[in-house]
Amino acid sequence: MSKKERVILITVIVEAALAGLWWYLASYGMANPDHVTADFQQVVGQTMGTAMGALLGVGVMLFFVAARNDRKTIENKMRR
């Protein structure tokens, strides 16, 4: 498995885990309105959206780094 494929796989798994956490927190807020503040849904949405967006941005950068490393590895194997 290439480094690019690993980066994509890990990014998808972590993003799915964050989406599941977001879903759980949103469901908890709707099921227990007396235990959360009035702006709970907004805060959860902003926080989780920011976390997922930041992670996706880091994942894109890591993808390009992994692609470069894969190209270098292929070039080094061709030289041998």
Side-chain angles (χ1 to χ4, degrees):
M1 181 181 285
S2 72
K3 292 177 183 176
K4 289 189 305 189
E5 292 170 345
R6 282 186 246 161
V7 167
I8 290 171
L9 181 65
I10 296 299
T11 302
V12 167
I13 290 171
V14 173
E15 287 283 338
L18 285 174
L21 178 63
W22 191 350
W23 185 270
Y24 168 75
L25 289 172
S27 298
Y28 178 81
M30 290 189 310
N32 301 304
D34 52 334
H35 290 120
V36 296
T37 61
D39 64 342
F40 179 79
Q41 296 290 355
Q42 182 180 1
V43 171
V44 167
Q46 287 176 349
T47 303
M48 295 303 293
T50 301
M52 291 177 74
L55 182 69
L56 192 59
V58 169
V60 168
M61 288 188 295
L62 288 175
F63 176 80
F64 288 125
V65 170
R68 184 188 64 192
N69 289 341
D70 283 345
R71 278 194 308 273
K72 285 183 181 179
T73 302
I74 291 172
E75 288 173 3
N76 288 340
K77 285 183 180 179
M78 296 290 247
R79 290 181 185 167
R80 292 181 189 181

